[in-house]
Amino acid sequence: MSTSYKEGKKSVLTIFFEGLKIYCLNIHKFLLYMTFPVLGQIAGLFMIFGMTYWFSHNYQNLVVKYPVLNDMSTMLITSIALVIPGLIIFTKAFWDYLVAYGALNSMTDGYLNTGRVYDFKAHNQVITNKTFSYIILWFLFGIFTFLAIIPVFWILGFVFFIYFILIFQVFTFENGLSPVGYFRRSFELIKGNFTKTFLLMLILFIFTYYLLPAGLSVIFDYLNLTNVLSKIFETWAFTLPLETVEKFGITPAIIASNIIKQMVLFIIVGYSLPIRSICWTLWYRNFAEPVEKSKKIVRKPKKSTKTKKLPENFKIEKRGIDPEIIRRARLEDDEY
């Protein structure tokens, strides 16, 4: 018996709009799920740099009030103690963000099976139950990304990035593979579908990295948040040693403006991660279901055999959603 894989049944635009529809219908749940992973990282960084700025700005007054601080080791320990809370929040939010890369795939599969987005904890566990493999996967992806940003590897890195774009879907839905096997499996799925995969990636990139951030920037300007944040970041930037770079036109105002742009981009990219995960999960399902080919076997019909007609949507898959997640889908939102 041999196994081949279907050509995609759905077009790129169909996948995109279907993914966008799923996201919009459940936007309140996806926004809730992504709030801590996104805003937690920002809050953690604010706390780290805010406490560092406060301590350095008020150090002389603190030394007068607390002479014990007038010691290098004590000052260093105090500085570390001040940034630890922010570092803990940032690290936890960053890890949750990485877990979301896989858990959102499971949520999408759950929605396609039950029509609901539910039980974040159960979907997170789909990923955290394989934490070690997941960390290795991210480590390998990090090495690949580092090599890909080296100018001499740009073209080759971009090509392989397209081929490896389904590694997190493969990790979520397929067991028994090594970390390297996830990359190999993604390559197999994309092989022969490179152009269409690139087109879907391009659409998602333009929509979530350009159009949505541009829209949020307009909202920030309308609510006057841009000016308020600019003053905060500009005040902080004045404490930086910029004398050597000011001749290149780098000023506190420019630094503040770029920080705001990056923050807006990070917020939108973070909150729109579900859109990308949904679309890539749909794209994975478009190719991943095997079609088994076997030799024709002629059998004589049995006289007493009764054939039960199965529903059209019935299918047996090696890959499937956890039955416990299906059970919880039947509960009300406040029952789990």
Side-chain angles (χ1 to χ4, degrees):
M1 182 180 294
S2 62
T3 301
S4 62
Y5 293 91
K6 304 177 187 177
E7 293 186 2
K9 297 172 289 185
K10 298 180 180 179
S11 68
V12 169
L13 288 178
T14 299
I15 292 291
F16 173 71
F17 286 114
E18 185 176 340
L20 190 60
K21 177 184 176 182
I22 294 173
Y23 178 79
C24 291
L25 290 175
N26 301 277
I27 188 170
H28 58 297
K29 294 184 178 180
F30 287 125
L31 292 181
L32 175 64
Y33 177 72
M34 295 304 303
T35 290
F36 179 72
V38 175
L39 299 186
Q41 292 186 65
I42 295 176
L45 291 176
F46 264 84
M47 290 177 67
I48 292 171
F49 289 105
M51 294 305 295
T52 302
Y53 170 76
W54 175 85
F55 184 66
S56 61
H57 186 70
N58 296 281
Y59 179 70
Q60 297 300 329
N61 294 332
L62 291 171
V63 168
V64 173
K65 191 172 182 180
Y66 305 102
V68 70
L69 292 175
N70 193 22
D71 177 78
M72 182 59 68
S73 60
T74 305
M75 183 186 70
L76 182 61
I77 292 173
T78 303
S79 300
I80 294 174
L82 288 173
V83 302
I84 283 178
L87 185 61
I88 291 174
I89 292 174
F90 173 82
T91 304
K92 179 62 169 64
F94 180 69
W95 170 246
D96 286 356
Y97 191 81
L98 295 184
V99 170
Y101 267 83
L104 286 165
N105 303 324
S106 180
M107 289 181 200
T108 302
D109 199 55
Y111 178 86
L112 295 173
N113 280 278
T114 67
R116 297 182 61 222
V117 174
Y118 54 91
D119 205 344
F120 298 155
K121 183 178 179 181
H123 292 293
N124 286 342
Q125 287 176 345
V126 172
I127 306 305
T128 56
N129 286 341
K130 301 186 288 183
T131 297
F132 181 75
S133 295
Y134 197 55
I135 291 174
I136 296 299
L137 177 63
W138 271 106
F139 177 73
L140 293 176
F141 183 70
I143 293 176
F144 163 74
T145 304
F146 175 77
L147 294 175
I149 63 175
I150 299 175
V152 70
F153 295 128
W154 279 358
I155 296 177
L156 188 62
F158 175 78
V159 170
F160 277 101
F161 180 81
I162 302 296
Y163 279 114
F164 296 154
I165 207 160
L166 294 180
I167 56 174
F168 297 107
Q169 283 69 35
V170 174
F171 176 88
T172 303
F173 299 122
E174 301 188 21
N175 296 316
L177 298 176
S178 66
V180 174
Y182 300 129
F183 287 86
R184 185 183 300 113
R185 174 75 168 123
S186 177
F187 186 93
E188 292 172 355
L189 292 171
I190 300 301
K191 188 177 180 181
N193 300 290
F194 181 90
T195 303
K196 290 184 287 186
T197 303
F198 167 73
L199 181 59
L200 179 59
M201 186 194 72
L202 183 64
I203 292 173
L204 290 171
F205 179 83
I206 293 173
F207 184 70
T208 62
Y209 281 80
Y210 179 74
L211 295 180
L212 291 181
L216 184 61
S217 294
V218 171
I219 295 175
F220 267 49
D221 292 340
Y222 177 77
L223 297 176
N224 202 36
L225 291 175
T226 302
N227 290 332
V228 173
L229 292 173
S230 292
K231 293 178 181 178
I232 295 174
F233 292 127
E234 193 170 347
T235 300
W236 171 77
F238 271 113
T239 65
L240 301 176
L242 301 178
E243 293 80 8
T244 57
V245 294
E246 283 184 345
K247 59 183 178 182
F248 299 107
I250 300 176
T251 64
I254 291 177
I255 292 175
S257 175
N258 279 281
I259 290 176
I260 293 172
K261 289 178 181 178
Q262 292 303 313
M263 186 174 70
V264 169
L265 178 63
F266 178 78
I267 290 173
I268 285 298
V269 169
Y271 274 112
S272 63
L273 175 62
I275 299 176
R276 297 189 295 278
S277 293
I278 293 168
C279 288
W280 290 124
T281 298
L282 295 174
W283 196 240
Y284 167 86
R285 288 169 63 99
N286 217 24
F287 303 111
E289 296 176 5
V291 179
E292 295 186 348
K293 297 179 180 179
S294 57
K295 295 180 179 179
K296 293 183 179 179
I297 301 175
V298 179
R299 293 194 179 110
K300 294 181 179 181
K302 295 180 180 180
K303 296 180 180 180
S304 59
T305 300
K306 293 183 180 180
T307 303
K308 182 178 180 181
K309 187 176 181 181
L310 297 174
E312 293 181 0
N313 60 353
F314 179 85
K315 57 184 177 181
I316 299 176
E317 298 180 279
K318 180 181 179 181
R319 166 184 66 80
I321 192 170
D322 189 335
E324 175 62 13
I325 297 180
I326 296 290
R327 184 190 68 79
R328 296 188 189 188
R330 299 190 180 97
L331 303 177
E332 295 297 331
D333 286 347
D334 57 356
E335 289 187 50
Y336 51 79

